[in-house]
Amino acid sequence: MQLTEGSLTILTDLNLTIKRGESVAIVGASGSGKSTLLGILAGLDTATEGEVFLAGHALHQLTEDQRAELRASHVGFVFQSFLLLPGLTALENITLPAELAGIRDARKRGLELLDQVGLAERRDFYPTQLSGGEQQRVAIARAFITQPQILFADEPSANLDEQTGQKVEDLLFNLNEQQGTTLVLVTHKTELAERCQQQYLMHHGQLESMAQEQRHVG
Amino acid sequence: MWASIALRLFWRELKRGELWVIAFALFLAVFSVVTLTGITESVRSALSQRSASFIAADLILRSSRPFQQEILDAASEQEVAQAQQMLFDSMLFSTEGMQLVTVKAVTASYPLRGDLVLRQSPRIAEGERGALQTGSLWVEPRLLSLLEVAIGDYVELGASNLMVAGIIETEPDAPLNVFGGNPRVIMYLDDVAATEVVQPGSRIDYRYLFAGAESQLASLQQQLDASLSVHENWQRLDRETAVGAAMERAESFLLLAGLLGIVLAASASAVAANRYRQRHAESVAVIKALGATTTVARKIYCSHLLLVTLFSSVLAMLVGLVLVVFLQQGITLWLNDFEPVFSSRPLFMGVMTSVICAGLFAARPVWQLAAVPAISVLRQLPGWRFDVWHLVTGAIAVWLLMWLFSRQFVLSLLLFAACAIFALLLMGMAALLVKIAKPMAAGQSSALKLALANLRRRLWQNSFQLLTFSMALFLTLLLYFLRAELLEQWQSQIPEGAPNQFLVNISPEELPAIKAFADQHNLELDTFYPMVRGRLTYINDEQLRQRASKEEDDQRVGVGRELNLTWTEQLPKNNRVTAGRWFDENGGQEVSVESELAERLGLQLQDELVFSIGGQVASATVTSIREVDWNSLQPNFFMILSPDVLSDFPASYLSAFYLEGEQGDILNQLNRDFPTIIVLNVDAIIQQVKEIIAQVTVALSGILLLVFAAAVLVLVAQVQATMEQREQELAILRTLGARYVFLRNAMLFEFAALGTLAGVLATVLAEAVLGLLQYRLFEMPFQLNWTLWWIGPGAGLIVVTLLGWWQLRQLLATESAVLMRRAIYS
């Protein structure tokens, strides 16, 4: 990353392959580069060096707009701070990616997902009228509406209390399982990471695979 | 797809009140421009209709040649209303006497503007009103006694015998001739030929009167200009008369006030547009992360802004137009003869304002908005940055609006340059002041320390905030004081009880009787000014032949080549010596000359002037040049001589007194008792000027209110722009254990400091600009406004602190847990 004060290397010597339908957790301390890696994998950002392939597309060769189109058709997101549009209702927030991707029956799908996340009653509520857990459930429904091939989740339960966090995590994994989506999860919670098939530890910009035994010891 | 997202976002955010700052700023900008244009147009139209009544037409073509058929045809072709007048001096004979009179012969359509009141009775306000008819004439009341005739008697004018039908009570275009003139007579134009008074070589003033729409008159003027000879010239209301000057000032002021209002409303839009960008940055990042390309994001937010602009502009134009129509109806109630003119200009200006505001103020922030990177969903958004291009496009927008509104390229450029220089100065001063706040904080209470630290930390942002606060306060102060100043100057120009009746041609023998008459009727007579008519014949031994005196060109002081000379030991009120010195007790043979006449004649101090008075000669040395306030409607003289020069010449006297409206019978009595004294009633003119002042006052108050609203909105928009940052800081301070009182005080100190600084800066600038404007634009003497020095900083302190408190009070009262949660989620 080039900064005005010079350059800063966040990720280095990093090789990672994620197979279709696999669930992968990336754990690490704050500032270790987890979110940067997520941004690059999802095509939100580009690396200064290296190659990234997403669903067969060479992300590092695509323009920003091409990456956006790829995200619209292949990617779903769940963010730590929910990031719902405050001006739209719960249902409208859910249908937004579908509309952007030009999906026709967005509303029907949106209503189904709302039902699945248990918020059918709240469809016309605005984000500020929903609790944190409810907002994240809306965000999860939003992430699945385009039936993405891959879902990126950035600390999905970090802003929620333990109980609510647990419910949201369950919901995420259930939907993921139902839809057969590839899941890339960034978290600092070991218990959450353990629910994924693969776990990696991010440390000083480098990624290490965590073997089962390592995790148990850790 | 993007259109429906934009529409939904717009509708939802509007309903939830999230767009009110930008929507209201745009509303205010368009509303102010529509109403300012409407008010200015209405008042200008009322004023010009009013001024038209002073010349009985909208436009006059004067000629010394008899009426030309092609000119009459051209007017018919343009479909403008027209009337003709002939003015000439002639002797009028009755069986008992004769009198030199000024005859005004008019066509039936006269007057085109204003009201001609003729009475079939010897006294004003009595008897039936009459109308012009063939074979008769109407006379000034004093002519009845001068000729010893009664209504219905016949008088001889040239070869004709004409019946005296009655008196002239009000004549719209009667000259204000303080020094008298011949009694006036009005007759029918078709009767002139039979009188045979018009002979080759006769001095006749032919006048073509026109009235109609401005465009028609302009094209008529253009059409005729090509064929006019040296004998013809156009006449409009004389700007040097009291009424003309009052109107010109009113128009200048309205224009200036309007321009300043626009600057403020435009600033509010600029600030709000920036705020709009900040508020929507996160949403754009989310939309882009969810798969929208930059183009789609741009389309969504451009349409979103377009919808906000459309909504605000249409609403503003509707409300603005309703207000303008309401105002016009108000003027109609007030001035019976006012014909509201509905032009499309306010609407056009409204549309242009919304296009300019959306295109130049908001286009760049929205363009940048769409460029917010999608990665911002994972990383903190870049903070507030000073954007030079936004400033440049905003500045261009302000100037464009000023130009469109004033339709004066140079004026708009000058005023804009002045505003830009002030803005730069203010910015520099603000940055400096905020920077030196650090040493000031040493040893202060901790709340004050925190406030000053806050100010310093957001240096650029605060400098910009201080700049807009100062600008808003400065413009409001400027307008408020100019308005007060203007009104005060006008009021003092025509104080209550100022003389409205002039007595001219009083002989020395009549002085005691006049004084007795005044005592008997409780009239307060002004000084008796002696008057001798004389002609200036030599300047420093150089004989004057063709050199004209000012009197010849200026109707205000009378006709003819002779000057009215007076003498006095005291410098009259409303006079100011600008060069030399007033008469010395030891001196003698001195003359004091009015400055404009001195300039025209090229007179210098110590010049020797020779006057010819009734065949005798008097000479005097110029020892002073005087500035005279011609707007004062008081007796004024071009030449004042020391008493030793003229006191031996036979003089008549001039005096003045104030008469209340309902004491009209005193005038009749005065006319009967002193038939040779000319009584001039200037009350009508004083009333006209007062009416103009009253109209303009209402318009100005409205504009001031608009400007204040715009100023407040700028402040609100500025505070709103820092809201998120404040919320986060507050969350941290609360969590660290800061108490409510401490935080409240810190916030109050911060706004009080900003407000006071802005107030001081605004005051300094307002004082400088007021001085300049008073001197240049309104031709008023410079005075330091001491009240400004406490009102400016005081208003800054109170308004900014209260606005800050009002906006942040809810934030302060929010529980720390809520604040913390919001800070984390955002």
Side-chain angles (χ1 to χ4, degrees):
Chain A
M1 181 183 279
Q2 294 295 325
L3 299 170
T4 43
E5 295 85 1
S7 65
L8 175 73
T9 307
I10 301 174
L11 303 174
T12 178
D13 192 20
L14 197 145
N15 281 300
L16 175 66
T17 307
I18 300 166
K19 295 190 185 114
R20 186 187 290 257
E22 202 173 30
S23 59
V24 173
I26 299 166
V27 288
S30 292
S32 59
K34 302 190 298 287
S35 296
T36 307
L37 178 62
L38 184 81
I40 290 171
L41 292 179
L44 294 173
D45 209 353
T46 48
T48 35
E49 276 177 55
E51 295 177 337
V52 184
F53 291 89
L54 180 79
H57 298 269
L59 275 184
H60 55 279
Q61 289 175 344
L62 299 183
T63 61
E64 201 194 320
D65 280 353
Q66 286 169 329
R67 280 186 275 124
E69 280 163 13
L70 192 65
R71 283 198 301 273
S73 53
H74 292 78
V75 177
F77 282 106
V78 177
F79 303 107
Q80 177 180 355
S81 49
F82 326 137
L83 294 181
L84 300 178
L85 263 58
L88 299 181
T89 61
L91 179 62
E92 286 166 348
N93 263 294
I94 293 171
T95 57
L96 182 65
E99 284 179 73
L100 288 170
I103 296 168
R104 290 204 169 173
D105 57 346
R107 188 180 157 81
K108 189 171 155 262
R109 278 205 218 175
L111 285 169
E112 282 168 14
L113 277 163
L114 253 182
D115 196 35
Q116 278 181 280
V117 298
L119 291 173
E121 308 278 296
R122 300 266 197 273
R123 66 172 208 185
D124 293 328
F125 280 44
Y126 288 98
T128 47
Q129 296 168 316
L130 299 171
S131 69
E134 287 171 332
Q135 287 190 50
Q136 194 61 307
R137 275 145 72 192
V138 171
I140 289 169
R142 177 178 70 180
F144 283 102
I145 191 159
T146 53
Q147 294 173 322
Q149 290 180 16
I150 180 159
L151 179 77
F152 292 97
D154 179 27
E155 305 274 17
S157 54
N159 279 345
L160 303 170
D161 61 70
E162 200 172 330
Q163 206 180 351
T164 317
Q166 186 68 44
K167 278 186 191 164
V168 164
E169 287 162 11
D170 291 347
L171 185 68
L172 181 67
F173 278 94
N174 289 342
L175 276 172
N176 191 51
E177 207 171 333
Q178 275 175 31
Q179 299 208 5
T181 315
T182 310
L183 175 69
V184 179
L185 180 81
V186 163
T187 181
H188 62 276
K189 285 164 81 175
T190 325
E191 311 81 61
L192 182 60
E194 280 172 358
R195 297 179 71 168
C196 295
Q197 293 157 347
Q198 297 283 334
Q199 294 90 30
Y200 292 94
L201 175 70
M202 192 81 183
H203 187 65
H204 292 310
Q206 288 187 311
L207 207 58
E208 296 163 19
S209 175
M210 291 167 74
Q212 284 293 322
E213 54 276 24
Q214 247 185 311
R215 274 182 273 133
H216 285 298
V217 175
Chain B
M1 168 263 291
W2 50 266
S4 72
I5 296 176
L7 186 67
R8 210 179 308 137
L9 275 174
F10 161 71
W11 185 238
R12 296 266 192 266
E13 290 185 4
L14 189 74
K15 273 209 304 196
R16 289 161 47 79
E18 283 166 17
L19 291 174
W20 82 268
V21 176
I22 180 106
F24 192 61
L26 287 169
F27 172 89
L28 198 73
V30 176
F31 176 75
S32 353
V33 172
V34 169
T35 38
L36 284 172
T37 315
I39 290 175
T40 320
E41 294 251 303
S42 305
V43 173
R44 196 178 282 167
S45 141
L47 291 181
S48 82
Q49 284 184 25
R50 198 86 305 217
S51 66
S53 73
F54 285 99
I55 56 170
D58 291 334
L59 184 65
I60 290 180
L61 180 65
R62 289 175 69 168
S63 174
S64 54
R65 290 193 297 168
F67 295 117
Q68 307 291 305
Q69 193 56 43
E70 61 264 29
I71 294 178
L72 302 176
D73 291 346
S76 308
E77 219 173 275
Q78 293 290 343
E79 294 179 345
V80 297
Q82 54 173 323
Q84 289 83 45
Q85 270 186 15
M86 278 170 77
L87 277 134
F88 55 89
D89 289 350
S90 182
M91 291 302 287
L92 198 62
F93 297 90
S94 69
T95 47
E96 301 297 328
M98 59 179 181
Q99 175 68 43
L100 181 66
V101 295
T102 297
V103 178
K104 176 151 84 180
V106 297
T107 52
S109 48
Y110 166 86
L112 298 176
R113 298 280 184 239
D115 205 9
L116 172 71
V117 181
L118 304 170
R119 290 272 177 206
Q120 293 169 320
S121 101
R123 280 181 267 285
I124 53 171
E126 286 176 17
E128 294 275 304
R129 278 182 70 162
L132 285 170
Q133 52 208 346
T134 314
S136 62
L137 46 73
W138 301 79
V139 299
E140 222 180 293
R142 63 183 164 121
L143 202 57
L144 296 175
S145 47
L146 288 171
L147 288 175
E148 294 179 46
V149 290
I151 308 296
D153 287 354
Y154 278 80
V155 287
E156 221 174 90
L157 178 69
S160 291
N161 264 322
L162 297 163
M163 188 186 78
V164 178
I167 57 156
I168 307 165
E169 186 174 304
T170 311
E171 184 187 351
D173 52 344
L176 171 62
N177 188 344
V178 183
F179 300 105
N182 304 321
R184 299 174 67 78
V185 169
I186 291 182
M187 64 184 283
Y188 203 46
L189 188 76
D190 289 352
D191 289 342
V192 174
T195 63
E196 295 173 19
V197 291
V198 180
Q199 300 294 332
S202 303
R203 274 187 68 177
I204 315 273
D205 187 2
Y206 294 90
R207 297 181 182 189
Y208 304 82
L209 280 63
F210 305 112
E214 212 163 290
S215 56
Q216 287 175 311
L217 293 173
S219 61
L220 175 68
Q221 204 168 351
Q222 201 180 0
Q223 187 185 341
L224 291 180
D225 269 342
S227 58
L228 292 186
S229 67
V230 288
H231 304 284
E232 278 101 22
N233 64 299
W234 295 103
Q235 186 198 338
R236 282 182 185 271
L237 184 74
D238 186 357
R239 289 295 189 183
E240 281 193 15
T241 61
V243 178
M247 282 184 204
E248 197 160 20
R249 277 188 200 175
E251 284 188 21
S252 304
F253 193 85
L254 281 178
L255 182 68
L256 187 77
L259 284 173
L260 296 184
I262 286 171
V263 171
L264 264 183
S267 315
S269 314
V271 175
N274 227 14
R275 157 112 179 115
Y276 174 89
R277 179 173 67 91
Q278 284 176 355
R279 267 191 89 94
H280 289 87
E282 190 182 82
S283 298
V284 171
V286 172
I287 288 178
K288 286 177 82 173
L290 296 179
T293 59
T294 305
T295 317
V296 169
R298 200 157 273 157
K299 280 179 181 169
I300 292 175
Y301 279 91
C302 282
S303 324
H304 187 251
L305 182 82
L306 192 72
L307 287 167
V308 180
T309 312
L310 266 176
F311 170 79
S312 304
S313 308
V314 169
L315 198 68
M317 279 188 261
L318 282 176
V319 179
L321 287 179
V322 167
L323 195 77
V324 170
V325 171
F326 186 70
L327 185 96
Q328 292 211 335
Q329 292 310 312
I331 299 179
T332 318
L333 288 177
W334 202 352
L335 307 171
N336 295 327
D337 55 346
F338 175 70
E339 293 166 25
V341 182
F342 294 99
S343 83
S344 55
R345 198 169 140 74
L347 209 61
F348 165 77
M349 284 299 297
V351 173
M352 288 311 288
T353 309
S354 64
V355 169
I356 290 172
C357 280
L360 289 171
F361 287 130
R364 188 165 166 81
V366 172
W367 197 258
Q368 287 175 327
L369 184 63
V372 168
I375 189 67
S376 308
V377 290
L378 297 177
R379 261 190 234 134
Q380 207 180 4
L381 289 167
W384 189 88
R385 264 202 211 150
F386 184 73
D387 180 8
V388 178
W389 285 107
H390 186 213
L391 203 68
V392 170
T393 48
I396 294 173
V398 170
W399 172 71
L400 263 177
L401 283 173
M402 285 170 128
W403 184 27
L404 272 174
F405 182 73
S406 68
R407 285 184 276 193
Q408 295 182 34
F409 185 78
V410 180
L411 177 83
S412 61
L413 212 59
L414 281 177
L415 201 63
F416 172 75
C419 283
I421 292 169
F422 288 154
L424 284 176
L425 269 176
L426 273 175
M427 196 81 177
M429 281 157 85
L432 195 75
L433 285 171
V434 173
K435 218 162 197 166
I436 59 169
K438 187 177 183 178
M440 280 166 60
Q444 301 296 337
S445 77
S446 49
L448 184 60
K449 244 184 214 169
L450 180 66
L452 292 173
N454 270 341
L455 280 177
R456 218 172 38 250
R457 196 155 33 80
R458 289 189 283 260
L459 178 70
W460 272 110
Q461 204 171 348
N462 278 324
S463 305
F464 189 69
Q465 210 165 326
L466 194 54
L467 166 76
T468 39
F469 283 10
S470 307
M471 264 316 220
L473 279 170
F474 158 65
L475 295 180
T476 315
L477 281 176
L478 186 66
L479 209 52
Y480 176 76
F481 274 86
L482 268 182
R483 173 184 167 272
E485 185 78 13
L486 198 66
L487 290 182
E488 198 179 300
Q489 295 267 353
W490 271 339
Q491 303 292 356
S492 67
Q493 186 180 307
I494 308 167
E496 279 301 315
N500 56 2
Q501 310 291 333
F502 286 80
L503 300 174
V504 190
N505 206 24
I506 307 167
S507 68
E509 298 76 40
E510 283 172 318
L511 284 178
I514 283 284
K515 282 178 185 161
F517 182 89
D519 286 345
Q520 187 192 339
H521 293 93
N522 290 324
L523 302 174
E524 266 186 58
L525 279 178
D526 197 7
T527 322
F528 282 94
Y529 294 91
M531 264 178 15
V532 170
R533 290 173 74 81
R535 192 187 315 180
L536 178 65
T537 49
Y538 285 89
I539 299 174
N540 295 335
D541 299 332
E542 185 191 342
Q543 190 170 8
L544 301 175
R545 288 174 196 277
Q546 300 301 320
R547 300 180 76 167
S549 76
K550 177 158 179 167
E551 285 201 47
E552 213 179 356
D553 301 328
D554 199 320
Q555 287 201 326
R556 184 176 47 230
V557 269
V559 288
R561 293 172 176 217
E562 289 185 323
L563 290 161
N564 287 291
L565 311 173
T566 190
W567 65 90
T568 174
E569 285 173 0
Q570 298 297 320
L571 178 68
K573 282 182 283 180
N574 304 316
N575 281 226
R576 193 167 64 89
V577 174
T578 54
R581 50 150 189 84
W582 184 244
F583 301 149
D584 199 328
E585 275 180 24
N586 307 322
Q589 306 280 308
E590 294 179 49
V591 58
S592 172
V593 188
E594 188 267 341
S595 56
E596 280 183 38
L597 182 67
E599 200 180 318
R600 186 176 295 195
L601 295 175
L603 290 179
Q604 307 282 338
L605 290 175
Q606 301 309 318
D607 277 351
E608 190 74 21
L609 307 185
V610 176
F611 299 93
S612 167
I613 304 162
Q616 289 178 279
V617 168
S619 65
T621 310
V622 179
T623 53
S624 64
I625 308 282
R626 274 172 305 123
E627 208 166 67
V628 173
D629 180 8
W630 291 107
N631 296 327
S632 65
L633 291 175
Q634 301 299 308
N636 280 316
F637 295 88
F638 284 114
M639 300 276 187
I640 300 179
L641 291 102
S642 55
D644 59 304
V645 186
L646 291 180
S647 49
D648 291 340
F649 286 89
S652 68
Y653 287 81
L654 166 84
S655 188
F657 62 90
Y658 172 72
L659 192 70
E660 277 187 36
E662 59 269 24
Q663 292 175 292
D665 50 334
I666 294 182
L667 284 185
N668 287 326
Q669 179 74 35
L670 193 70
N671 274 322
R672 270 198 299 273
D673 291 0
F674 304 94
T676 55
I677 293 178
I678 303 165
V679 184
L680 291 163
N681 185 349
V682 295
D683 202 38
I685 289 169
I686 291 179
Q687 287 312 321
Q688 303 278 27
V689 175
K690 281 191 171 167
E691 261 177 41
I692 292 167
I693 293 171
Q695 280 170 38
V696 175
T697 309
V698 172
L700 288 185
S701 307
I703 290 175
L704 187 68
L705 212 65
L706 265 179
V707 167
F708 185 71
V712 166
L713 189 70
V714 172
L715 302 184
V716 171
Q718 278 287 18
V719 177
Q720 287 283 324
T722 61
M723 215 60 160
E724 276 92 7
Q725 203 182 349
R726 283 177 189 282
E727 196 171 303
Q728 285 186 358
E729 286 167 7
L730 207 61
I732 296 165
L733 289 168
R734 271 293 186 73
T735 316
L736 295 177
R739 286 186 183 181
Y740 171 80
V741 177
F742 170 81
L743 292 172
R744 188 201 59 196
N745 288 349
M747 188 219 66
L748 286 179
F749 281 141
E750 187 185 334
F751 281 107
L754 264 180
T756 315
L757 278 179
V760 171
L761 292 178
T763 304
V764 174
L765 281 181
E767 187 68 272
V769 174
L770 267 176
L772 199 74
L773 283 179
Q774 277 171 345
Y775 187 69
R776 289 266 166 206
L777 199 61
F778 304 120
E779 294 171 5
M780 296 170 179
F782 175 75
Q783 281 172 319
L784 210 61
N785 292 289
W786 290 112
T787 37
L788 196 68
W789 289 92
W790 64 267
I791 289 187
L797 171 77
I798 294 168
V799 172
V800 175
T801 312
L802 282 181
L803 274 176
W805 167 244
W806 171 66
Q807 290 186 84
L808 296 181
R809 71 192 195 291
Q810 268 186 328
L811 195 62
L812 279 171
T814 314
E815 279 180 34
S816 46
V818 179
L819 279 177
M820 205 61 212
R821 206 177 311 139
R822 273 200 234 156
I824 292 166
Y825 293 166
S826 64

